[in-house]
Amino acid sequence: DAGVTQSPTHLIKTRGQQVTLRCSPISGHKSVSWYQQVLGQGPQFIFQYYEKEERGRGNFPDRFSARQFPNYSSELNVNALLLGDSALYLCASSSESGTSGVSSYEQYFGPGTRLTVT
Amino acid sequence: AQTVTQSQPEMSVQEAETVTLSCTYDTSESDYYLFWYKQPPSRQMILVIRQEAYKQQNATENRFSVNFQKAAKSFSLKISDSQLGDAAMYFCAYRSAFGPRDTGRRALTFGSGTRLQVQP
């Protein structure tokens, strides 16, 4: 089975520009979460979506937005890019099937998108 | 809010030997899950081992085991018979067990990571 996929792998943007990152979850998974990982730090939670609705938001400014599509894929948008937005953006999917045990909520990560803002 | 602390930025171990990575966390919740993730240079975050807080028995996955001390809020990872392929960043992570989905409590809270080097 295919794992979580993300595109693009790398991209370079200029301050003030806008960027869209894409994520396709594991087949059958209905939840997608986004994390930002600045170099040398652990990932920080940005958003969680489930069944196309936002279920959680981390401490990020309104320049960050996301959405989830009927096929459960997701996009993360960042407007008015700042140098500090340079990071690895990770997407994770989980089934959230509601069955007992931790495995249905376990998050599987994609390879990430490396964003560089110059 | 929960916090996760990894106080060892870097660790080094000889191949075939044993190393222990430390993690402490702070929470007021009684039930939660703890994880160790491995992130090699390829960047893919890989789940190494998980521990449910309500279980007293420490989790074990092949060469990887944890020492979970709930009262002390400590969750260390022991890697036995270290291999060159174990070299990576290791992150400790926390997740709440309860809460409706719309509060985003399924989100993982990560520590700052420990870089493990394995010497041949």
Side-chain angles (χ1 to χ4, degrees):
Chain A
D1 287 342
V4 178
T5 60
Q6 293 186 244
S7 63
T9 305
H10 299 89
L11 73 166
I12 300 173
K13 291 286 188 178
T14 304
R15 277 179 300 176
Q17 287 188 318
Q18 175 265 342
V19 68
T20 298
L21 311 180
R22 296 176 175 82
C23 171
S24 292
I26 292 171
S27 177
H29 283 192
K30 297 182 178 180
S31 180
V32 169
S33 299
W34 287 95
Y35 294 83
Q36 180 197 63
Q37 186 178 16
V38 173
L39 190 63
Q41 297 180 18
Q44 298 290 317
F45 171 67
I46 310 176
F47 288 110
Q48 182 180 19
Y49 274 76
Y50 175 74
E51 290 280 15
K52 295 166 286 182
E53 291 185 7
E54 182 183 306
R55 295 296 187 173
R57 172 186 285 257
N59 188 24
F60 280 81
D62 292 343
R63 299 185 296 106
F64 288 77
S65 63
R67 55 180 175 169
Q68 187 177 32
F69 299 99
N71 66 353
Y72 304 113
S73 67
S74 176
E75 286 183 351
L76 175 69
N77 296 283
V78 186
N79 294 321
L81 285 167
L82 303 174
L83 295 179
D85 295 332
S86 295
L88 179 67
Y89 288 85
L90 295 167
C91 172
S93 77
S94 55
S95 68
E96 306 284 329
S97 65
T99 58
S100 61
V102 68
S103 59
S104 66
Y105 304 117
E106 196 167 291
Q107 296 194 1
Y108 295 83
F109 285 83
T113 294
R114 172 73 66 189
L115 171 64
T116 301
V117 182
T118 62
Chain B
Q2 296 79 30
T3 59
V4 177
T5 302
Q6 294 179 249
S7 59
Q8 305 156 316
E10 291 195 15
M11 292 283 286
S12 183
V13 63
Q14 292 291 128
E15 199 175 2
E17 300 206 334
T18 296
V19 64
T20 298
L21 308 183
S22 301
C23 172
T24 58
Y25 58 94
D26 189 24
T27 184
S28 59
E29 298 174 335
S30 59
D31 201 7
Y32 45 86
Y33 302 117
L34 296 165
F35 304 86
W36 278 98
Y37 280 89
K38 170 185 178 182
Q39 188 177 40
S42 66
R43 311 180 319 201
Q44 186 96 33
M45 195 76 76
I46 302 165
L47 178 65
V48 174
I49 198 166
R50 75 171 79 86
Q51 175 79 43
E52 291 94 322
Y54 65 86
K55 290 185 177 179
Q56 293 185 340
Q57 187 174 5
N58 289 324
T60 299
E61 289 285 344
N62 301 313
R63 298 183 295 106
F64 299 87
S65 62
V66 299
N67 183 5
F68 173 50
Q69 301 291 325
K70 191 173 184 178
K73 295 180 182 175
S74 171
F75 181 61
S76 61
L77 174 69
K78 185 172 82 170
I79 306 174
S80 303
D81 186 24
S82 296
Q83 301 175 359
L84 294 177
D86 295 334
M89 284 291 292
Y90 286 81
F91 293 96
C92 178
Y94 172 105
R95 202 196 70 218
S96 299
F98 298 120
R101 292 192 182 97
D102 58 1
T103 65
R105 294 180 73 184
R106 305 296 184 194
L108 292 164
T109 300
F110 286 88
S112 57
T114 296
R115 181 174 301 281
L116 178 65
Q117 296 181 327
V118 181
Q119 308 297 331

